[in-house]
Amino acid sequence: MGFLVLDEDYESQAQAKIQASLSHSPDGVQQHGGNLNLNLRYEITLPLLTNPRENRLKCHETAQETAYVSAHISSRIHALYSQLELAAANSPTLAAPDDEGIALSIEIAPQSFDIYPDCDHRRYHSRRLHLHSPETLPLLPFIRKLYIKSTDSYKGVCGLYGIRPLSLLVPLQCIAALPKLTTLLLPYGWERPMTYPSPSTPVREHYTRPWEGPLRDARHDFGNAICEQEKFLGAGKRIPTSLKNALLHFWEPQQIALEDQTVARPDLIHPAEKDPFSVGLCRLAVQLEKLDLRAIVTEDLFPATGAAENQQQWSSMQRLRIEFHPLRPDGMWYFVGPRGEDPLRSDSSGGGGSEDDREGGFHISDTADYPREHDIPADKEIDEEFDEFPNGDSELDELLDMFRTEPHRERVEPLLARFAAAVASMPRLKDAEMFAYVWWTPSESREEEYAGDAPYDKNSVHKWSVRYLAAGREDGGDDGDGKTTTPVVQWQVGDWRPSTGVMELFEALGTQEWLAFEFTEGRPLATTNE
């Protein structure tokens, strides 16, 4: 193992960055009527992996190497917090900002090499980096907004070359030391729900594989940490009750079709009975006023009904925006093909190492569904295959198939019902939307099956959604002052209709409006104003 550290003087660099901000640098403090408005951007540079010609890197990263990088980012985050604490001690203005307070951005640069390796095994990462000793982070009550992200690499498949995913505990551990934080922004939570449909087997099944074990573990850690904060965040540390606004986008959409919706995906819930990730988000949302969420969820995202659950209602929520992935955490789908196509059987050919044959997602193996830490003879064969066939030698028809456009009633209606019940319990709510984007980009064989009877234009995308708008919204209503007088539920679901019981829940919320689909060629990415 060899690393070349590029920021050995990181403590002084953090101090200099803070002082430059306090000295009215372009990034820094602006005074408006005596109020302090400071935006501090702090980028963590990862060490270079050394790859000397006389002793080339192995194909696979070891746990020791991952731990080294975790320790590296941990020391930088600790240094940043410590230097901010020191700066506040010497700056009354910094220590007692106005309500707007200070916005802190922590960005993680991509991993790189001094000499790039011959294969791509180390270019794409699934193991999560962890924050060491989070309980010792000093409290910074002057931070009002926290933004955590990976710096874009713009290289490789979906721009993922060198991106090191963080444990989903890291954002929670960081905000637990910010007792007056009001806003958390997480624009990408490092989830890759689907395999990349490359015609190259080495690329698809080895180099870019989104390993299922680390993904499941990160989701369980996140949900469990919200529900058991003493255990996961450290003694005395809690998610601040001041947190009111959150943008949490756990997976990143692509503008073009890049999925095979026939391939088996893992069961990310097992061995839990309920999805810990959805349950945790539900608990977090209790204190929020605004939530912009993009995630793979079940109906347990929403509060359960009943008197015993009243304290878990989202009574403070004012604006809610939820994009749910068409794939469910249990490996099944909320949507099926226009003719009911729904390939669900999981087997060892579906990308996972488990060999169970069951409906829905495959059970994650403790060995086969985690990245290896050692090389095997097959690695050389994989690299040789990629060298000989960099664009693959399999038919594209087998790989790109996005056809799930119609809701599966038994799976989507529990989600809709809990959404409606949650909306009914939010007295301050102004706007709530839940939606998914669905594609019609069928494989060649599926397109031939639909010849002359295709439900949509090829490569078309549309939003499948339901939206609640409270009375008094400004949307050009007909009462003469540009505001409506009654709540409205807007549906964009085509010809589909909910069953009677679910429909009654929405009818109790307001007037129903049925809107036509709006089709685009490719997925619109600008979906939020945040």
Side-chain angles (χ1 to χ4, degrees), residues 336-382:
V336 296
R339 296 175 179 171
E341 305 97 318
D342 188 25
L344 284 175
R345 308 302 292 184
S346 68
D347 55 47
S348 58
S349 65
S354 306
E355 296 185 359
D356 54 303
D357 185 21
R358 54 188 293 276
E359 186 173 74
F362 57 82
H363 283 174
I364 292 172
S365 163
D366 290 338
T367 54
D369 295 324
Y370 286 81
R372 285 198 310 274
E373 294 185 37
H374 59 277
D375 291 5
I376 60 176
D379 291 324
K380 185 177 180 180
E381 298 171 7
I382 291 166

Side-chain angles (χ1 to χ4, degrees), residues 375-394:
D375 291 5
I376 60 176
D379 291 324
K380 185 177 180 180
E381 298 171 7
I382 291 166
D383 293 338
E384 290 173 350
E385 179 182 349
F386 178 70
D387 290 340
E388 186 174 358
F389 302 106
N391 296 316
D393 59 352
S394 59

Side-chain angles (χ1 to χ4, degrees), residues 66 87 194 307 408:
T66 307
M194 300 295 294
H408 187 288

Side-chain angles (χ1 to χ4, degrees), residues 45-254:
T45 301
L46 296 185
L48 293 179
L49 267 166
T50 57
N51 185 29
R53 299 185 187 281
E54 65 277 7
N55 185 23
R56 290 301 196 192
L57 282 169
K58 301 294 185 181
C59 284
H60 299 280
E61 181 172 288
T62 65
Q64 184 182 10
E65 289 170 321
T66 307
Y68 180 92
V69 182
S70 288
H72 180 93
I73 68 158
S74 297
S75 62
R76 274 65 181 169
I77 292 174
H78 277 273
L80 173 63
Y81 273 57
S82 296
Q83 291 299 327
L84 280 167
E85 180 187 41
L86 182 61
N90 297 317
S91 172
T93 306
L94 178 61
D98 66 353
D99 290 339
E100 298 241 341
I102 296 169
L104 173 62
S105 173
I106 300 176
E107 302 183 18
I108 314 297
Q111 182 83 66
S112 194
F113 307 83
D114 62 345
I115 300 174
Y116 279 95
D118 294 330
C119 77
D120 278 2
H121 278 104
R122 286 177 176 260
R123 300 284 186 95
Y124 300 92
H125 299 273
S126 289
R127 287 200 187 94
R128 303 276 179 143
L129 302 180
H130 292 265
L131 176 61
H132 295 179
S133 304
E135 68 281 358
T136 65
L137 287 174
L139 298 180
L140 306 177
F142 45 87
I143 302 294
R144 298 290 192 267
K145 180 184 291 188
L146 179 64
Y147 182 75
I148 299 179
K149 64 167 292 189
S150 291
T151 305
D152 296 327
S153 88
Y154 302 108
K155 297 178 181 178
V157 168
C158 302
L160 291 172
Y161 258 3
I163 300 298
R164 302 289 312 229
L166 301 185
S167 162
L168 291 179
L169 292 176
V170 174
L172 299 178
Q173 292 164 338
C174 285
I175 68 174
L178 308 176
K180 294 187 178 180
L181 188 79
T182 62
T183 302
L184 172 63
L185 304 174
L186 185 67
Y188 177 41
W190 305 282
E191 286 197 351
R192 290 190 284 148
M194 300 295 294
T195 57
Y196 180 69
S198 170
S200 166
T201 300
V203 172
R204 184 178 67 254
E205 298 183 6
H206 299 280
Y207 300 154
T208 68
R209 177 177 171 180
W211 291 89
E212 299 81 9
L215 174 59
R216 187 266 313 271
D217 296 347
R219 290 172 59 89
H220 283 223
D221 284 349
F222 178 81
N224 292 335
I226 294 173
C227 297
E228 302 178 66
Q229 296 180 30
E230 179 82 17
K231 176 180 178 181
F232 287 87
L233 304 184
K237 293 290 180 72
R238 293 291 185 274
I239 295 171
T241 57
S242 57
L243 180 66
K244 300 300 179 184
N245 310 308
L247 183 147
L248 305 173
H249 289 181
F250 290 95
W251 54 273
E252 193 169 51
Q254 298 299 317

Side-chain angles (χ1 to χ4, degrees), residues 508-529:
L509 300 176
T511 303
Q512 309 298 297
E513 292 182 356
W514 303 92
L515 308 180
F517 285 139
E518 297 178 5
F519 294 94
T520 60
E521 186 172 347
R523 158 69 192 261
L525 295 183
T527 59
T528 178
N529 294 323

